[in-house]
């Protein structure tokens, strides 16, 4: 499993719309993401800055599989209009500098 961190930024004034759109994602997108190996995806927002944490079997394989997903294409079109610059699917995530893993059995 891979743990990937991503950073994106919202256009000014898009904060409420972004939060509303993400309150529930389409069931088809959820199913496509899970079948592409996504185990978990969490997004935090600080003002206009977004931080994504993804747990996925293989991030590159997930990107390849989702590029042909109609549900993902529709979602990206909807979300990218809210972002400063489109989300680049070739983004490999933030570089890990340091981590303190939880002791066995603790989360």
């Amino acid at each position: 499993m891979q743990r990937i961190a991503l950073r994106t930024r919202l256009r000014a004034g898009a904060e409420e719309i972004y939060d509303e759109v993400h309150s529930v994602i389409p069931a088809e997108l959820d199913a496509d993401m899970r079948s592409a190996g996504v185990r978990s995806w969490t997004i935090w927002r600080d003002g206009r800055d977004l931080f994504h944490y993804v747990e996925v079997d293989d991030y590159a394989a997930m990107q390849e599989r989702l590029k042909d997903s109609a549900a993902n294409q529709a979602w990206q079109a909807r979300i990218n209009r809210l972002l400063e610059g489109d989300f680049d699917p070739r983004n490999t995530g933030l570089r890990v500098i340091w981590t303190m893993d939880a002791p066995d059995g603790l989360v």
Side-chain angles (χ1 to χ4, degrees), residues 10-101:
L10 294 171
R11 293 181 190 272
E15 298 89 343
E16 286 184 36
I17 296 168
Y18 184 88
D19 291 355
E20 184 179 309
V21 167
H22 273 85
S23 63
V24 177
I25 68 167
E28 300 85 8
L29 178 61
D30 184 271
D32 285 355
M33 290 173 67
R34 290 179 191 279
S35 72
V38 175
R39 298 179 185 198
S40 174
W41 194 310
T42 303
I43 303 171
W44 291 267
R45 183 172 68 77
D46 181 20
R48 293 173 41 213
D49 295 315
L50 303 169
F51 175 79
H52 308 246
Y53 173 75
V54 184
E55 292 181 349
V56 61
D57 294 333
D58 181 324
Y59 189 68
M62 177 213 68
Q63 291 172 309
E64 184 64 27
R65 190 155 177 194
L66 288 179
K67 77 177 185 177
D68 294 326
S69 158
N72 185 57
Q73 290 172 359
W75 182 256
Q76 294 306 321
R78 184 176 187 190
I79 294 303
N80 281 342
R81 67 182 177 84
L82 303 175
L83 301 176
E84 280 188 358
D86 289 349
F87 179 75
D88 184 350
R90 297 166 300 183
N91 186 346
T92 59
L94 301 173
R95 187 168 56 99
V96 174
I97 303 299
W98 180 84
T99 187
M100 179 193 293
D101 289 329

